[in-house]
Amino acid sequence: VRELLLSHSHSSAMFGSRSLYCCSRIWNRSLFLKCSGSFRASFSTNSVVSKQKLVGTHNGTFHCDETLACFILRLSNRFSDAQIVRTRDHQVLEKLDAALDVGGVYDPQSERYDHHQKGFTEVFGHGFNTKLSSAGLVYKHYGLEIIAKELQLDQGHPDVHRLFLAVYKNFIEAVDAIDNGIHQYDTDQPPRYVNSTSLGHRIGRLNLDWIEPDQSSAKEDEAFHRAMELAGSEFLECIHFHAKSWLPARSIVMECLAKRYDTDSSGEIMKLSKQCPWKLHIFELEEEMKIDPPIKYVLYQDDRSENWRIQAVSVAPERFESRKALPLSWRGLEKEKLSEESSIPGCVFVHMSGFIGANRTYEGALAMARASLMA
């Protein structure tokens, strides 16, 4: 491999540094999670440490999926000291330890993770049917190991498996879908507004602009580095959020669902034992725990006052409509007027849409929920 890279380095000098099949650039480990010293000093085209793994991806314009795939692969034990070789030359790629998003082959045994070849239909599984990009392919094979390391748990631990699926659902799948041109919604209507704040858009803007006077390979590599760190930092943030916030909240909601009949004999009112983001979990847990009838109202103490909130559960995630909104005659009323209309003391307010209300006491909020069920 070293001889190939040296010969291609000489060819680049003869034919120009941006030659399509003469440009093979190596990215050292020192750039992985933090920058230290000169960026250019961390590149090498004249020497390769023989024991280091070499991971290939294509040069030229980069996208979210391969920058993220490179970052994820280098979190694994096997490729933790890997160098990144950016090239499209098959002679070079064939000699590398892994190749991502280039080469036309998907074969995890030989560490080849491309998805552009004809007949490629690989999906993540576990109920997900989105065609994978190079990011999804690498995550499918290395995600469990990486999450287990982040949580300092065994790969067989149930929390590791839960986070493995949650991170795919809430982060990786969108990268896969966008790279494969899969629309989020089944509609032929144009979008009502432009949203260019996604990770993919931000990664794309890091490519060299056409007005950039320096279009050298070194400058392109520098941009790729920034893109890889951006994608990787959000990936790690996603893991840490799900480990530190999502997973504990899930446990709280599960316990409260199991105790729903202690709150009310209908089984349709859930009391949160602790304020947490319950809406992230209630739909999945209802299905998992076979909750029937489904929860209509969730009661929880306001974190900014001693009031108790009553919130109607929506019909589905990302939907505003409630399964059973608070009574129409209560909506928009406050305090004494609301208490008089509802015949429940201590009322604070009910929103105009009927999705949420409040009472000064837990007993009052529970009474509001029970009356709403009967309305």
Side-chain angles (χ1 to χ4, degrees):
V1 178
R2 184 176 183 276
E3 292 175 358
L4 271 172
L5 293 170
L6 281 170
S7 67
H8 280 263
S9 177
H10 295 319
S11 298
S12 294
M14 294 175 62
F15 296 105
S17 62
R18 293 185 59 83
S19 171
L20 178 64
Y21 53 92
C22 295
C23 183
S24 302
R25 298 181 303 282
I26 304 173
W27 194 350
N28 289 334
R29 174 172 169 76
S30 61
L31 286 179
F32 182 47
L33 289 176
K34 60 182 179 180
C35 296
S36 58
S38 168
F39 175 83
R40 292 177 183 240
S42 65
F43 281 89
S44 171
T45 55
N46 295 319
S47 62
V48 179
V49 179
S50 61
K51 291 183 180 181
Q52 284 189 305
K53 299 287 186 180
L54 299 176
V55 174
T57 192
H58 62 82
N59 59 306
T61 300
F62 50 79
H63 309 94
C64 186
D65 72 314
E66 77 267 17
T67 58
L68 179 58
C70 287
F71 190 96
I72 293 174
L73 193 63
R74 293 176 68 170
L75 289 176
S76 69
N77 291 328
R78 184 172 186 180
F79 291 98
S80 62
D81 62 347
Q83 294 179 324
I84 303 298
V85 180
R86 301 189 66 228
T87 182
R88 296 181 187 271
D89 191 293
H90 285 269
Q91 283 187 292
V92 175
L93 291 169
E94 288 173 1
K95 303 294 183 179
L96 304 182
D97 298 288
L100 315 178
D101 208 47
V102 69
V105 176
Y106 167 53
D107 177 21
Q109 298 301 316
S110 59
E111 305 288 357
R112 264 52 190 170
Y113 302 101
D114 198 7
H115 65 110
H116 297 99
Q117 57 273 23
K118 185 177 181 179
F120 178 87
T121 59
E122 190 74 13
V123 298
F124 187 67
H126 308 284
F128 296 96
N129 298 306
T130 299
K131 183 179 174 182
L132 298 180
S133 69
S134 60
L137 286 172
V138 172
Y139 183 77
K140 180 174 183 174
H141 293 282
Y142 285 96
L144 277 173
E145 174 196 326
I146 291 164
I147 289 173
K149 284 201 301 183
E150 290 295 318
L151 269 62
Q152 297 184 341
L153 294 172
D154 184 82
Q155 286 191 37
H157 195 285
D159 285 350
V160 172
H161 182 71
R162 287 192 187 100
L163 291 187
F164 178 58
L165 301 183
V167 170
Y168 182 78
K169 178 180 179 179
N170 294 294
F171 189 82
I172 304 291
E173 186 177 23
V175 176
D176 289 340
I178 291 169
D179 196 76
N180 284 301
I182 301 171
H183 291 294
Q184 190 173 14
Y185 301 103
D186 293 327
T187 178
D188 57 359
Q189 297 298 314
R192 294 185 178 182
Y193 56 88
V194 173
N195 181 4
S196 59
T197 63
S198 70
L199 178 61
H201 282 96
R202 285 179 281 126
I203 292 290
R205 285 195 291 269
L206 291 176
N207 280 283
L208 296 186
D209 196 283
W210 67 276
I211 62 172
E212 169 63 49
D214 184 357
Q215 295 284 323
S216 66
S217 297
K219 194 71 174 179
E220 184 182 284
D221 287 336
E222 184 178 353
F224 183 87
H225 162 71
R226 291 197 301 270
M228 193 176 99
E229 284 212 333
L230 173 59
S233 66
E234 295 206 12
F235 172 69
L236 290 176
E237 284 175 6
C238 183
I239 292 178
H240 296 159
F241 164 77
H242 282 85
K244 295 178 181 179
S245 174
W246 182 91
L247 197 58
R250 186 182 191 276
S251 297
I252 291 171
V253 176
M254 180 181 286
E255 292 173 2
C256 295
L257 281 171
K259 297 177 179 178
R260 65 193 183 282
Y261 285 106
D262 295 343
T263 301
D264 186 73
S265 60
S266 69
E268 298 179 72
I269 304 171
M270 184 182 80
K271 175 188 175 184
L272 272 183
S273 59
K274 184 176 182 180
Q275 179 54 294
C276 69
W278 55 271
K279 286 180 281 188
L280 295 173
H281 305 283
I282 195 165
F283 298 99
E284 289 184 0
L285 286 174
E286 281 182 333
E287 183 176 350
E288 181 180 317
M289 298 170 68
K290 297 179 171 54
I291 303 294
D292 188 32
I295 301 297
K296 303 300 188 302
Y297 304 108
V298 175
L299 309 180
Y300 56 91
Q301 192 162 26
D302 193 329
D303 57 0
R304 292 172 294 180
S305 70
E306 295 183 357
N307 295 334
W308 277 80
R309 295 288 184 103
I310 168 176
Q311 187 162 343
V313 179
S314 59
V315 296
E318 311 301 329
R319 294 285 297 273
F320 292 109
E321 300 90 341
S322 300
R323 288 173 174 173
K324 190 172 179 60
L326 299 176
L328 183 61
S329 63
W330 298 2
R331 299 177 196 176
L333 299 181
E334 297 181 357
K335 300 179 180 178
E336 290 80 8
K337 288 184 178 180
L338 180 55
S339 291
E340 182 180 349
E341 177 64 32
S342 64
S343 300
I344 299 171
C347 290
V348 178
F349 79 95
V350 167
H351 192 273
M352 284 292 296
S353 67
F355 86 99
I356 195 169
N359 194 285
R360 288 199 295 270
T361 67
Y362 164 70
E363 291 76 16
L366 179 58
M368 292 173 72
R370 287 171 170 167
S372 299
L373 279 178
M374 302 300 292

